[in-house]
Amino acid sequence: MATPDFSQIGGKTDVEKRSFWSRPEGILGMIVLAGIAGLGLVYFNRVLEFLIRMTSNVLTLALLFGAIGALIFLFTSRDVRTAVFFLFKSLMRSITGTVIQLNPIAIMKIYVDDLKEKRQKMQGQIDTLAGQLVKLNKKINENNEAIKQKFAEANKASTMTDKPGMREAAQLATIEGAGLQEMNEKLFPLQRNIKMVLAFMEKVNQSADYIIKETEIKVRLKETEYKIVKESSNALKTAISIFKGDPDKKFYFDQSMEYIQEDMSQKLGEMKRAMDLSMDFINSVDIQNGIMSDKGQALLEAYNKGEFKLIQLDSPTQPVVTGPNPAKDAGYKNLLE
């Protein structure tokens, strides 16, 4: 079932053919201009005091006239007016676009709510119009009954013309009946038009109900599609961020990696330098170990041959392993030394 198109009723209302001031950005522009005008009225006294102070000095008066002349030139220049107008239009359109981009689904729902409010208003008007039709029908029926009554009175009075005043009463009843008939003749086209308008509004009401329900379905569909697309886009951005990385987080990651690399290099250098410095000590220890090992091997061989003598604490003389006999005062000499 195709949606009925009422856009051509009362003239063309296509968005592309409407003037700037009838569009949403134009309405916003009028609100902004009204606000500026309101502020001008609020601060009118201050502006007037400023102008009076400016005109109290010749130099400031000359500057004021110069500024007024520049303003007159700007306002009378067609190019400047056109540029300012397009700049104003662009600004209002940008603000309107920003509002739409904040939550387009909410704006669509507000539009549906507005349609529902208009339908409720139209239903109230239909009820009022139906009540007026009932009153009009009742008035026509009452007039018809009154016409019958007046014509019956006129006929009765006509049969009693021999009595005084009956001729005038019959004439008056005839005039009243004719007046009521003329009223009904004028009310009947109005009643017919009301019936036509009422029937048309009933059809519009039914169509509006269908349009609103169809629009609600479209909004729910778009909301679901938009939500799925947004979630898919966010998931895709997350997947891409794995490869590209978040710029801020990747900066800290790179800085941490660089710090670890520098710290490792520094510690490896310190370890190498410590190893180089300790090589002399290790070599001297190896030499001493070698000497002690050779000495221990010689003592072991002497011990195995029975030539090794242990040191006795109660021995009067120092034990001598090999070599000539020492001098008698050798021990004392070493003591004095």
Side-chain angles (χ1 to χ4, degrees):
M1 178 179 179
T3 303
D5 184 13
F6 300 103
S7 61
Q8 300 302 323
I9 298 176
K12 296 181 180 180
T13 58
D14 191 85
V15 177
E16 296 297 331
K17 297 182 181 180
R18 289 189 297 174
S19 64
F20 169 76
W21 301 108
S22 62
R23 297 177 185 175
E25 56 267 26
I27 296 174
L28 177 62
M30 286 190 289
I31 294 173
V32 172
L33 292 177
I36 294 175
L39 289 175
L41 292 176
V42 171
Y43 294 100
F44 177 75
N45 293 332
R46 296 184 182 180
V47 174
L48 189 61
E49 292 176 359
F50 172 75
L51 293 177
I52 292 174
R53 288 197 304 270
M54 290 288 290
T55 55
S56 62
N57 186 281
V58 177
L59 179 60
T60 55
L61 181 62
L63 294 175
L64 179 61
F65 277 120
I68 293 174
L71 290 175
I72 292 174
F73 170 75
L74 293 176
F75 281 116
T76 55
S77 176
R78 183 177 180 181
D79 294 335
V80 174
R81 290 201 312 270
T82 304
V84 172
F85 179 68
F86 278 108
L87 180 63
F88 181 75
K89 285 177 63 177
S90 301
L91 179 61
M92 294 300 103
R93 185 166 296 175
S94 299
I95 295 175
T96 305
T98 302
V99 172
I100 293 174
Q101 291 176 6
L102 289 176
N103 197 340
I105 300 298
I107 293 176
M108 295 171 67
K109 290 182 178 180
I110 292 173
Y111 173 74
V112 174
D113 293 337
D114 183 66
L115 291 179
K116 291 181 179 180
E117 291 178 359
K118 289 181 178 178
R119 185 187 62 177
Q120 292 178 353
K121 182 179 179 181
M122 184 178 63
Q123 288 175 346
Q125 293 173 343
I126 290 174
D127 295 337
T128 302
L129 195 60
Q132 293 297 325
L133 181 61
V134 171
K135 291 181 181 179
L136 189 58
N137 290 334
K138 183 179 180 181
K139 184 64 178 177
I140 292 174
N141 291 330
E142 289 177 352
N143 288 343
N144 288 333
E145 295 296 328
I147 290 171
K148 293 179 182 179
Q149 180 67 26
K150 293 300 179 181
F151 284 165
E153 292 176 359
N155 290 331
K156 185 63 176 178
S158 297
T159 60
M160 302 173 65
T161 55
D162 54 338
K163 294 184 178 181
M166 287 298 173
R167 186 181 297 277
E168 289 79 4
Q171 185 179 6
L172 181 60
T174 304
I175 291 173
E176 290 179 356
L180 292 173
Q181 180 64 19
E182 185 179 0
M183 180 184 295
N184 279 351
E185 290 176 355
K186 292 181 178 180
L187 291 177
F188 180 71
L190 180 61
Q191 185 263 358
R192 185 175 56 188
N193 290 334
I194 291 177
K195 286 179 65 176
M196 292 176 60
V197 172
L198 188 60
F200 174 76
M201 292 186 68
E202 289 289 353
K203 291 183 179 180
V204 171
N205 184 39
Q206 295 176 359
S207 300
D209 185 63
Y210 171 78
I211 292 172
I212 291 173
K213 290 181 179 178
E214 186 182 27
T215 306
E216 285 181 333
I217 293 173
K218 288 181 179 179
V219 171
R220 288 198 297 267
L221 176 61
K222 288 297 179 184
E223 183 178 11
T224 304
E225 291 178 348
Y226 189 55
K227 184 177 180 180
I228 292 174
V229 171
K230 284 181 66 177
E231 294 295 335
S232 302
S233 176
N234 293 334
L236 184 60
K237 288 180 180 179
T238 303
I240 293 176
S241 66
I242 295 175
F243 298 99
K244 296 178 64 177
D246 184 87
D248 297 331
K249 295 179 180 179
K250 193 172 186 301
F251 170 77
Y252 288 104
F253 174 81
D254 293 338
Q255 292 294 318
S256 300
M257 184 68 72
E258 184 177 354
Y259 171 76
I260 291 174
Q261 188 66 32
E262 292 179 355
D263 192 48
M264 288 174 59
S265 300
Q266 182 178 357
K267 284 181 170 54
L268 289 173
E270 292 175 353
M271 291 170 63
K272 186 177 183 302
R273 185 168 179 273
M275 291 174 65
D276 292 339
L277 293 175
S278 62
M279 285 305 296
D280 294 338
F281 176 75
I282 293 173
N283 292 333
S284 64
V285 171
D286 291 340
I287 293 172
Q288 293 296 327
N289 288 334
I291 294 173
M292 294 299 295
S293 178
D294 293 341
K295 185 177 180 181
Q297 186 66 31
L299 293 174
L300 179 60
E301 291 178 355
Y303 178 80
N304 292 331
K305 293 178 180 180
E307 298 176 355
F308 180 78
K309 293 182 179 181
L310 297 175
I311 297 175
Q312 300 294 332
L313 294 178
D314 54 353
S315 175
T317 59
Q318 293 289 336
V320 179
V321 178
T322 57
N325 293 328
K328 294 181 179 180
D329 58 350
Y332 299 102
K333 184 178 181 180
N334 291 334
L335 179 61
L336 294 174
E337 288 177 358

